[in-house]
């Protein structure tokens, strides 16, 4: 019995020593990373780095954190940011954002308030810390910009999984309810106020490929850019309108997409009514668009529904034979 007690005490002492060494290493590593960023011209500051969680977890809390990338002009400040991992699995990280934080750019500052913003991250064991998986939960998110707009999200989830056979591609799934765009966006898209202020639901499932891995260099150097999107499902429900889409796009180095997405639009006439009076489509072009959409609806067999390809080519997009204008660019700052 005495030997057993002695063995338990020895193991506890060894484990305690390992835990202390690990936490001290994390503190030194974070301090060194911040110092390296500052040497590159970043703002990279924190008031304190504290560790806890003994004996089963390694938990880290940073207070008064401020990061600003001079190359992109993006900055993030948070009163606290914490992350933790089981001591036996340090690459399975849980990150918790504060209930109030700020993201700034050269044109505006956005305050982000939240009830819940948490993520579980699975990282590989190498020095690059490549992101393998993520599971994020969002609840009661509120955005308030210095440019005078507000936006909100009631609840959302985001999951990503890096594909084993395509190491630069991720299976991405996003679902949200109660999405309230900014009043400015609502006025631009729906000046007649025909739609409710809140989008009922959004769903997205895709396999998205990038030109580089999402790892520590994605923060330190440049963000990976999209090279291809295999859109399995996009569904949005807003008032009486329902939009669904699926298809495949390639994206060139300038962020310009090429390919085809099959679209289903339910109650498409409501969409045309919303477009009237906006600057999204020239007023003189609307009758042509409406006639073209009527033909497409007739081909679908349901006059209230359109099934048509949304084509992207040479920097422009069209719905069936109806031209819609310049294609959006996919660029991650």
């Amino acid at each position: 019995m005495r030997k057993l007690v002695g063995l338990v005490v020895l193991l506890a002492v060894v484990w305690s020593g390992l835990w202390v060494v690990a936490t001290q290493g994390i503190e030194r590593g974070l301090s060194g990373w911040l110092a390296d960023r500052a040497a590159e011209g970043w703002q990279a500051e924190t008031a304190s780095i504290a560790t806890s969680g003994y004996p089963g977890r390694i938990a880290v809390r940073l207070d008064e954190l401020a990061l600003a990338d001079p190359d992109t002009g993006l900055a993030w400040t948070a009163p606290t940011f914490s992350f933790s991992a089981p001591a036996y699995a340090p690459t399975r990280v849980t990150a918790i954002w504060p209930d109030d934080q700020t993201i700034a750019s050269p044109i505006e500052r956005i305050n982000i308030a939240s009830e819940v913003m948490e993520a579980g991250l699975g990282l590989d064991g190498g020095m690059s810390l490549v992101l393998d998986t993520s599971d994020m939960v969002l609840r009661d998110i509120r955005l308030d910009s210095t440019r005078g707009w507000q936006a909100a999200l009631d609840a959302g989830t985001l999951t990503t999984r890096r594909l084993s056979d395509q190491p630069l591609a991720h299976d991405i799934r996003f679902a949200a309810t109660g999405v309230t765009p900014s009043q400015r966006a609502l006025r631009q898209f729906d000046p007649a106020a025909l739609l409710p202020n809140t989008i009922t639901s959004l769903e997205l499932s895709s396999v998205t490929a990038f030109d580089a891995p999402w790892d520590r260099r994605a923060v330190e150097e440049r963000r990976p850019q999209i090279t291809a999107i295999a859109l399995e499902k996009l569904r949005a429900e807003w008032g009486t309108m329902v939009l669904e889409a699926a298809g495949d796009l390639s994206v060139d180095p300038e962020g310009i997409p090429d390919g085809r997405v099959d679209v289903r639009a339910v109650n498409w006439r409501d969409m045309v009514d919303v477009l009237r009076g906006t600057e999204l489509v020239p007023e003189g072009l609307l009758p042509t668009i409406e006639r073209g959409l009527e033909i497409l609806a007739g081909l679908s067999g349901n006059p209230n529904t359109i099934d048509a390809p949304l084509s992207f080519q040479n920097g422009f997009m069209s719905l069936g034979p109806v031209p819609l204008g310049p294609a959006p660019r996919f660029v991650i700052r």
Side-chain angles (χ1 to χ4, degrees):
M1 184 66 179
R2 187 179 303 169
K3 291 182 178 180
L4 180 59
V5 172
L7 179 60
V8 171
V9 171
L10 177 61
L11 291 175
V13 170
V14 171
W15 179 257
S16 299
L18 292 174
W19 189 91
V20 169
V21 169
T23 54
Q24 288 179 345
I26 289 173
E27 291 181 17
R28 286 195 299 270
L30 285 172
S31 297
W33 187 85
L34 292 171
D36 290 343
R37 301 290 74 73
E40 294 173 358
W42 287 49
Q43 180 189 13
E45 303 170 353
T46 186
S48 63
I49 301 174
T51 54
S52 60
Y54 179 83
R57 296 186 70 81
I58 297 175
V60 180
R61 173 178 168 139
L62 298 93
D63 291 322
E64 302 301 330
L65 180 62
L67 296 174
D69 181 353
D71 292 333
T72 62
L74 293 177
W76 173 50
T77 58
T80 64
F81 177 68
S82 60
F83 60 92
S84 65
Y88 60 85
T91 59
R92 301 301 169 189
V93 178
T94 298
I96 301 176
W97 284 260
D99 56 11
D100 190 75
Q101 57 188 303
T102 300
I103 292 179
S105 73
I107 61 173
E108 65 184 327
R109 182 183 300 272
I110 303 171
N111 184 74
I112 304 173
S114 60
E115 181 181 334
V116 175
M117 186 179 291
E118 300 181 2
L121 307 175
L123 310 173
D124 77 0
M127 293 296 294
S128 296
L129 299 177
V130 177
L131 179 65
D132 283 328
T133 64
S134 68
D135 295 274
M136 191 169 196
V137 177
L138 304 168
R139 188 161 65 242
D140 195 16
I141 309 297
R142 299 291 181 264
L143 308 181
D144 192 347
S145 169
T146 54
R147 291 174 67 88
W149 60 263
Q150 295 81 37
L153 180 149
D154 289 345
T157 58
L158 172 66
T159 65
T160 69
R161 299 286 184 275
R162 187 163 64 118
L163 303 186
S164 58
D165 58 342
Q166 300 179 56
L168 295 182
H170 291 255
D171 185 311
I172 300 173
R173 299 179 185 272
F174 175 73
T177 57
V179 180
T180 303
S182 70
Q183 288 298 313
R184 182 179 300 175
L186 287 171
R187 286 195 300 269
Q188 290 177 339
F189 183 74
D190 181 24
L194 300 175
L195 294 169
N197 289 341
T198 299
I199 300 170
T200 305
S201 64
L202 285 174
E203 294 180 66
L204 170 69
S205 301
S206 75
V207 172
T208 302
F210 300 89
D211 64 358
W214 283 94
D215 58 14
R216 60 184 296 177
R217 285 185 291 270
V219 176
E220 298 172 357
E221 299 173 8
R222 64 179 288 273
R223 262 49 78 197
Q225 298 299 312
I226 296 171
T227 60
I229 301 172
L231 182 62
E232 298 175 5
K233 177 183 180 182
L234 171 65
R235 189 180 194 276
E237 183 177 343
W238 191 359
T240 60
M241 303 188 311
V242 177
L243 181 67
E244 298 178 337
D248 297 291
L249 298 174
S250 60
V251 182
D252 73 10
E254 301 300 318
I256 299 174
D258 185 89
R260 165 178 162 160
V261 174
D262 292 320
V263 173
R264 165 168 286 190
V266 180
N267 293 325
W268 64 271
R269 293 182 189 277
D270 293 345
M271 300 181 190
V272 174
D273 289 340
V274 169
L275 287 175
R276 297 186 193 281
T278 72
E279 298 179 356
L280 299 174
V281 178
E283 184 67 27
L285 191 58
L286 270 175
T288 301
I289 291 177
E290 188 167 9
R291 285 194 296 272
L293 295 178
E294 285 176 346
I295 294 172
L296 292 175
L299 294 175
S300 72
N302 184 337
N304 294 320
T305 301
I306 290 174
D307 288 287
L310 180 64
S311 301
F312 298 83
Q313 189 174 20
N314 299 324
F316 290 87
M317 58 182 179
S318 59
L319 183 63
V322 181
L324 299 180
R329 294 181 62 189
F330 297 94
V331 177
I332 302 174
R333 282 182 58 85

